[in-house]
Amino acid sequence: MSGQATEFSVLDFIKIILPDGTNGNGSWNAVCQWPPDLFAAMAAVAERSGLYSESTFTSYWIGSRFLPSKKWIDLTRETGHKWAKTGKPPKHVQDSWRHLVTCIRFARIDDEDAEAEAWKKLVFELLAIADEACAGIGFSYPPESRQPRSGEATAGEPQTTLIQFLVYSDYHVWRERWEMDQSAIGGDVLPNLPHSLCIWVRPEIFCVQPKTSTPTVGYTLRSLTHHLALLPSIANVTTHWHIADELGGEPEPHAFNLLLVPFPYSIPGKSFNPVVGKFPGNTKDKVFRLDPRAWMRDTTPEQFAKFLNELIDAAKPEMEPVNAIVLPETALPLNFAKAVAEILARDRRLDLFVTGVVTDQEADARNSAAIYRFVNGLIMDRSFQSKHHRWSLDDDQVRRYQLGHVLDPHFKWWEQIDVSHRECHVMLFRSNATLSVLICEDLARYDPVLTVMNSIGPNLVIALLMDGPQLEQRWPGRYATVLADDPGSAVLTLTSLGMVRRSSMPADPESREIALWKEPTGKARSLRLPKGDHALLLTLTSRLVEQFTLDGRSDGGATVNFALGAAHPVRHPDPLPDWLGRIP
């Protein structure tokens, strides 16, 4: 059958993103009433066409053809802020959309003709306006703030827009439902919470989430927005944005103090158990399973929580409070970690407890990162993010970690874990700062989770590892530097002393670099645990920095930048029980 293929227009592409119409009524003639929906459509068009890199939007020296003038920036910000306050798209947005629809009915998305500049300018402008309309979206504001009336800021309180209020209040609706049914999705207004802010853009196509950092290098779509991030389908990676319902009654301290506990201090070789069977085909690959019982012995959650609290006490002469405790990858069994978290919450001494956890169900074995956030003696929020890539031990690694007696070095050994249902969690832990946790290989593999990290730009990324010494020239240092450059996150890696010690031959000098710190400016720094000590206490200082999008829009100095202010060793004062292992 012969014939010419039907032209696929930009409007056809938008209809795929918004299949039910811009407002769910089957029509695309009127602009989206909800800014994240418009953002998703315009960001997808901009990314697919690459229009944001064209000289019209990037080359300010070309004179009158350059779009983002100061006048344009002022109008864009004013229009976006008006939309945020009233909840209704301003006339300028409505007129621009009608003009755009007329221009793109027959325009190809790969059109590079001069005539295409008209619709590309409209896409660029609507994208920026939708982004400005969502300033501050997804972040905390005082719970006592009353709902602002249309066109009015909350009197006597920080500027709270109607768009911010709708998102914040609907997160509370979803959260109440989730507490009763942990498969619950959506609030009263936003049907896709916590995975996407969109109403009519289905999460199977694209997701939109709040954003914390704008890259200062490169020319990408990610460099064009301050407040919203375009993310892939939930089938690729499901993102959870955690709004902090409460951040405590006291003003937030300038410093954030983390206690790094590199447990286990000793890892027996029998922790690595070969699994019977082999991969199909001719590959010489096998499977091993990690068994934390080999280093946990008969320890109880009460004993372990007591040990952590005693480390907090030992840190008091240097500084207080300790805001968070961090343990490495696979440090604790999952149910054990939950019990420890409940005890720590009741003690009311911490804000966060972060640890690597493993499950022992063979059919659904998981290697995960657990985050517990505490408020007023309760676990206010929690997340469990599974590892997305299996650890593979090759000949060199088997020998380096002195495992040749339990794992045959002539084979490649893969970690026996489930890597399906990929998720990424972004948790607000300060009123304007976010935290994400990665597990080992996820720091080094771009797909799928680093696509989310690069788009959202968490202020702090903690990578939990089961690895050797944390040196700048090794792989964790290289990949931490990448994240610190783009999107501009501060990155902390942490491994166990047990794995660091296994990486040295018996007669070699022992390495004790258990952690590595890299901030957006400055070199990567290895953090060494002195002999006889059990933890490192880090002080992270924070300051607000001003960031700019590619089109010159400022965030008003609202981005949090973390830096390493101090590092101190912490030594447990009493003789330790046998289950902790000897620490020379």
Side-chain angles (χ1 to χ4, degrees), residues 34-218:
W34 184 239
D37 283 330
L38 179 63
F39 174 85
M42 297 298 93
V45 171
E47 185 172 56
R48 188 62 60 92
S49 67
L51 64 86
Y52 57 85
S53 64
E54 295 184 8
S55 59
T56 305
F57 313 112
T58 62
S59 303
Y60 60 86
W61 52 85
I62 63 175
S64 60
R65 285 186 55 238
F66 180 65
L67 178 65
S69 63
K70 184 181 184 305
K71 180 180 179 181
W72 180 89
I73 291 172
D74 292 343
L75 177 62
T76 298
R77 291 175 61 88
E78 179 185 344
T79 306
H81 295 172
K82 184 177 180 180
W83 193 352
K85 291 179 180 179
T86 64
K88 298 178 181 179
K91 183 177 183 301
H92 178 68
V93 174
Q94 298 179 41
D95 292 343
S96 296
W97 176 262
R98 283 193 290 267
H99 189 191
L100 175 65
V101 170
T102 301
C103 293
I104 61 175
R105 289 188 185 278
F106 304 105
R108 291 168 53 95
I109 204 162
D110 61 344
D111 192 350
E112 296 182 355
D113 293 342
E115 291 77 11
E117 187 174 277
W119 67 261
K120 292 179 180 180
K121 284 184 174 181
L122 290 168
V123 168
F124 192 92
E125 181 177 53
L126 289 171
L127 170 63
I129 291 173
D131 183 53
E132 289 291 337
C134 294
I137 199 169
F139 291 85
S140 296
Y141 64 90
E144 64 272 13
S145 294
R146 62 181 174 82
Q147 179 177 354
R149 293 182 301 201
S150 178
E152 176 190 62
T154 305
E157 299 289 350
Q159 296 294 311
T160 302
T161 68
L162 185 60
I163 297 295
Q164 285 177 296
F165 179 84
L166 288 173
V167 171
Y168 187 85
S169 59
D170 222 33
Y171 261 101
H172 278 277
V173 173
W174 164 77
R175 181 74 187 188
E176 289 178 2
R177 293 173 180 169
W178 181 84
E179 291 291 349
M180 301 296 294
D181 175 12
Q182 295 190 8
S183 64
I185 300 295
D188 288 341
V189 178
L190 307 178
N192 302 307
L193 292 181
H195 310 317
S196 179
L197 294 168
C198 292
I199 296 176
W200 298 110
V201 177
R202 297 174 183 173
E204 307 92 87
I205 300 173
F206 286 111
C207 292
V208 171
Q209 290 282 24
K211 182 176 179 178
T212 49
S213 297
T214 302
T216 59
V217 296

Side-chain angles (χ1 to χ4, degrees), residues 31 143 184 247 255 288 293 313 316 367 454 464 478 480 560-561:
V31 72
L247 287 167
F288 72 92
R293 291 175 297 182
D313 289 336
K316 279 184 177 180
N367 179 343
N454 285 341
L464 309 181
R478 296 197 303 271
V560 175
N561 184 281

Side-chain angles (χ1 to χ4, degrees), residues 236-250:
N236 180 261
V237 55
T238 302
T239 307
H240 302 252
W241 182 275
H242 296 253
I243 281 184
D245 297 330
E246 295 181 60
L247 287 167
E250 298 298 322

Side-chain angles (χ1 to χ4, degrees), residues 9 30 39 63 81 92 161 176 241 263 303 314 322 340 353 359 363 369 416 420 467 483 485 489 497 534 548 558 577:
S9 70
F39 174 85
H81 295 172
H92 178 68
T161 68
E176 289 178 2
W241 182 275
F263 180 83
Q303 287 175 316
V322 172
V340 171
F353 177 48
T359 56
Q416 188 194 48
S420 62
D467 187 44
L483 274 178
D485 289 341
S489 303
L497 183 62
H534 308 90
F548 293 88

Side-chain angles (χ1 to χ4, degrees), residues 75 169 297 303 327 343 364 393 418 510 518 521 537:
L75 177 62
S169 59
R297 303 182 190 180
Q303 287 175 316
L327 276 68
I343 297 170
D364 186 30
L393 286 163
D418 191 342
E510 187 177 84
K518 180 68 174 75
T521 58
L537 182 61

